[in-house]
Structure formats: structure tokens, C-alpha cells
Amino acid sequence: MKLVATEEERDLAAAMRDLFATHCPTTLVRALREPGGERFPQKLWEALTRAEVFALPFGEDVGGSGGTLDDLAVVYAEAGRALCPSIVLNTLHLGLAIDALAGPEQRAAVLAPLVRGELRGSVALASPYDAGDVRPVLRAERVTEGVRVSGRVDHVGDADLADRLLVTAELATYGEPARTIALLLDPSAPGVTRTALPTSDGDRGHAVELDGVAVATDSVIEDVDLATLRRVALTVRALQCVDMAAGAEAVIERTVAHTTSREQFGRAIGSFQAAQHLVADMHIATQAARLAARSAVFWLGRGRPGQRETAVAVLKAATAYRRVTLDAHQLHGGMGYVLETDLHLWSERARRLGVEGGGPDAAAGWIEEAIGLV
């Protein structure tokens, strides 16, 4: 694995940082979480579309740019620093899943509008509490024009903003073994009920209940390979680790700026050795998280199952992001806990991403499984 960014990656990172600085300030992050306010970041979405972010990881046959998962990780890092709204990232997750699981016609039907910024989406492909658990919780039955699906999935991100949701279901056919299929749902279709489950950082998840929802044949992905499905779920988790590590870096930068400008006893508080040691520990933990996250993305992008690498990334990133935000509050003298400052925005994102798809406990289980202890 390469440890030094290429010139192209540095250029992409600089362009994305400028874009998010212009179109995703913390004032937007705050506005999107206001009760009753607009939850869709229209101007940011348009800017990301013009920058071809939604086209980046997909093939030229569907209008994409033919980039790699490493390129997408560069975008996720800058998105994490800027607290990019989750509908952007969930739409990319839908694209990655369709790219891996669907056939040529379904890929073209979904990815072509997605890369043009004309389709928003989200996925529910694994347990929200354990990304390594991809057993479907929905049940489907075959009907003349496709399938009917029933059941409930929890914590589906941005189900209220998505045009399409990708879910999995167990299809029972008389006389045949049950098998896993994937379904591309319209969340506003008859029989779909969405119940908001507010999260700590304002990016809203939903419980989605399906009561005999009809899904046409062309929206069904037959015979989903569970190993591929699990690699997609772990890829999403690895990219979230990149987001977490970069968010921790942004918190350190804010904290250093604060401690070098605020004085106590006639000196900048950053000049005290205790403060310097604390910042050094924050930096060491964050760099370890960044390397682990990029390692997981690197190997997943090259076709490895990535279970062990993603587990290490989750252990490092979830722990580092939480620790860095807590220490940052200490060095801000507790100011970060009040809503008038912006520091709490990163703390709340750290809490959500630290557990979404499984925290360190779930990741430890993936390692035990990988080395044959369970």
C-alpha cells in the first residue's frame, strides 16, 4: 500500500476542500438540522454534480469518470472534514452497491442518472448494528409482475430524501431453497411507511416498514452473492472510517488555532506542556486511524474481502474520533459543549459514525471470525 498521496490525489483533495469551504460551511450544516427546515442541500448538490463527484468511481460506460475507490476516499476525507450531509454519501453508497451487484441493464438504468446528479438514494444492505451481518430481514414472494416484499428495516439513512432505496430480502419459492435478492424500492410507493429516527448529528435515519410492497421485475437483482454483498457493506464502513479520521483532523486544527490564540495567566494556553502533550496524543491517534482507514479502502478496492482491515479501521477511527473530540472540549475549556460554537457538530458526528454499522465491539467480532476464533 502506498503511504504518500499522488499529485492527482493532492489536486483532487485541494479542489474538494475549496468546494466544501464554499458550499458546505457550518452554517449550512446547522441550517439542515433545524426542525421543519429544508433538509436537502441543493446548492452543494449542484456544485458536487458540476465537479463530477457522483461520476468519480463509476465506469465510463454509464457516464462515469472511471476513478478508483482510492479517489473516492479522497472525497470522503474532505467530506468528513466539512461535515458533508449524509444524503450525498448515501447516494454514493447506492451507486457502489449497484455497481457491484446489478447486471448491465440495471447498472445503466440507475448509475446513468446518478452520475448526472438526477437521482438520490440510500441503502440498507446490512444490520445497522453490524456491517458484517448481511442476512436479509425482509421477506419476499414471487408474483406475476415481480415480487412482493414485507417487513421492517431500521435506521435507513435519508429515506425521506431518497428517490430509491436498495434493500435485500429473502425470497422463498415453493420447492426451492430460500435465496437472497436485492430490491430497488421507491420509498414513496404504496405500502411503504417511513418513521423518522432523529440522530445526534441531525442526519436523519428512518425505520422503513413494507407491507406487501410490489416491486417490478426490472427492479429486482436476482441471486445476490453474499460475499459480494458483505464486501459492499464493509466498503461503506471503511469509507466512513476515512470520514471519521478526517473529521478528527479538522477538530485538531480548530483546537490548535484556539489554544494558540486564547491566553491564561498572560500566556497562550497552547504553550503549557500539558496542553501540548494532549494535542500530540490526539494527533498520533488520528494518524493511526487515517492509515488504517486508507489501508482498508486500498485492499477492498483491489478485491480483497477486507474484513480484517475494515475491523482495524473501525477500532482505530471510532476510538480516535471520540477521544479527539472529548479532548478538544477540554482544551476549549468546555466551550465546545454549548451550541453557540461549532465544535459540538463534530462531536455529534463522531458519536453517530462511531456506532453506525457497528462500533469497536462489532469490529472485534469480525477479527475473531477472520482468524477462526468463532
Side-chain angles (χ1 to χ4, degrees), residues 106 142 145-147 171 181-184 215-223:
Q106 290 170 319
R142 189 77 70 187
E145 300 296 331
V147 301
L171 177 64
I181 59 175
L183 308 164
L184 201 59
V215 182
T217 302
D218 60 0
S219 295
V220 178
I221 301 173
E222 301 279 357
D223 294 326

Side-chain angles (χ1 to χ4, degrees), residues 50-74:
R50 287 194 298 273
E52 298 186 352
V53 167
F54 297 110
L56 183 62
F58 306 117
E60 295 177 359
D61 60 321
V62 293
S65 304
T68 67
L69 206 56
D70 295 326
D71 298 328
L72 191 58
V74 174

Side-chain angles (χ1 to χ4, degrees), residues 82-168:
L83 304 170
C84 177
S86 58
I87 183 59
V88 173
L89 308 178
N90 283 327
T91 297
L92 287 166
H93 298 164
L94 172 65
L96 292 172
I98 289 293
D99 201 26
L101 300 172
E105 292 183 3
Q106 290 170 319
R107 279 185 70 248
V110 176
L111 293 182
L114 189 150
V115 301
R116 295 194 298 267
E118 298 169 357
L119 186 146
R120 315 172 199 167
S122 189
V123 298
L125 302 177
S127 165
Y129 316 107
D130 184 345
D133 182 359
V134 293
R135 292 172 295 179
V137 296
L138 301 177
R139 297 291 178 265
E141 60 178 351
R142 189 77 70 187
V143 294
T144 305
E145 300 296 331
V147 301
R148 288 192 184 277
V149 59
S150 298
R152 170 183 167 129
V153 285
D154 282 330
H155 298 289
V156 183
D158 300 312
D160 58 331
L161 300 178
D163 302 310
R164 292 291 182 272
L165 300 178
L166 188 67
V167 301
T168 58

Side-chain angles (χ1 to χ4, degrees), residues 21-372:
T22 302
H23 297 284
C24 189
T26 53
T27 50
L28 173 68
V29 177
R30 287 176 176 275
L32 293 175
R33 52 195 290 169
E34 288 295 324
E38 174 60 55
R39 289 219 321 116
F40 181 67
Q42 185 67 43
K43 291 183 178 178
L44 172 63
W45 187 272
E46 293 170 356
L48 291 169
T49 302
R50 287 194 298 273
E52 298 186 352
V53 167
F54 297 110
L56 183 62
F58 306 117
E60 295 177 359
D61 60 321
V62 293
S65 304
T68 67
L69 206 56
D70 295 326
D71 298 328
L72 191 58
V74 174
V75 174
Y76 268 72
E78 297 307 322
R81 294 175 60 88
L83 304 170
C84 177
S86 58
I87 183 59
V88 173
L89 308 178
N90 283 327
T91 297
L92 287 166
H93 298 164
L94 172 65
L96 292 172
I98 289 293
D99 201 26
L101 300 172
E105 292 183 3
Q106 290 170 319
R107 279 185 70 248
V110 176
L111 293 182
L114 189 150
V115 301
R116 295 194 298 267
E118 298 169 357
L119 186 146
R120 315 172 199 167
S122 189
V123 298
L125 302 177
S127 165
Y129 316 107
D130 184 345
D133 182 359
V134 293
R135 292 172 295 179
V137 296
L138 301 177
R139 297 291 178 265
E141 60 178 351
R142 189 77 70 187
V143 294
T144 305
E145 300 296 331
V147 301
R148 288 192 184 277
V149 59
S150 298
R152 170 183 167 129
V153 285
D154 282 330
H155 298 289
V156 183
D158 300 312
D160 58 331
L161 300 178
D163 302 310
R164 292 291 182 272
L165 300 178
L166 188 67
V167 301
T168 58
E170 183 179 271
L171 177 64
T173 305
Y174 181 75
E176 298 179 10
R179 51 199 174 91
T180 299
I181 59 175
L183 308 164
L184 201 59
L185 296 174
D186 177 352
S188 62
V192 179
T193 303
R194 293 165 288 180
T195 304
L197 302 171
T199 57
S200 62
D201 63 350
D203 280 329
R204 196 169 300 162
H206 285 75
V208 178
E209 294 189 63
L210 309 172
D211 183 12
V213 177
V215 182
T217 302
D218 60 0
S219 295
V220 178
I221 301 173
E222 301 279 357
D223 294 326
V224 171
D225 176 64
L226 291 182
T228 303
L229 181 61
R230 195 178 204 201
R231 191 165 69 245
V232 171
L234 292 179
T235 298
V236 168
R237 197 68 183 115
L239 288 169
Q240 288 176 329
C241 290
V242 174
D243 182 317
M244 286 191 278
E249 287 180 341
V251 170
I252 292 174
E253 290 172 9
R254 296 175 65 88
T255 303
V256 169
H258 175 77
T259 57
T260 52
S261 61
R262 185 172 178 85
E263 293 188 352
Q264 285 284 349
F265 311 114
R267 295 169 54 188
I269 58 176
S271 66
F272 292 100
Q273 194 173 44
Q276 293 171 354
H277 284 177
L278 204 55
V279 172
D281 288 343
M282 294 160 66
H283 177 73
I284 291 168
T286 299
Q287 291 308 306
R290 183 180 67 82
L291 290 173
R294 294 303 293 268
S295 173
V297 169
F298 179 87
W299 290 116
L300 284 161
R302 283 150 183 81
R304 278 198 188 181
Q307 180 173 331
R308 190 177 311 193
E309 293 85 354
T310 307
V312 173
V314 171
L315 286 165
K316 294 288 186 183
T319 304
Y321 204 2
R322 183 176 176 81
R323 173 178 178 173
V324 164
T325 52
L326 288 173
D327 287 346
H329 287 298
Q330 291 276 1
L331 289 167
H332 278 74
M335 282 201 309
Y337 284 110
V338 298
L339 299 183
E340 285 74 9
T341 70
D342 287 333
L343 183 57
H344 69 94
L345 299 174
W346 280 271
S347 302
E348 290 159 2
R349 189 164 174 121
R351 284 203 293 272
R352 178 175 66 85
L353 287 183
V355 298
E356 187 176 290
D361 289 346
W366 305 344
I367 293 178
E368 290 178 344
E369 180 184 331
I371 62 179

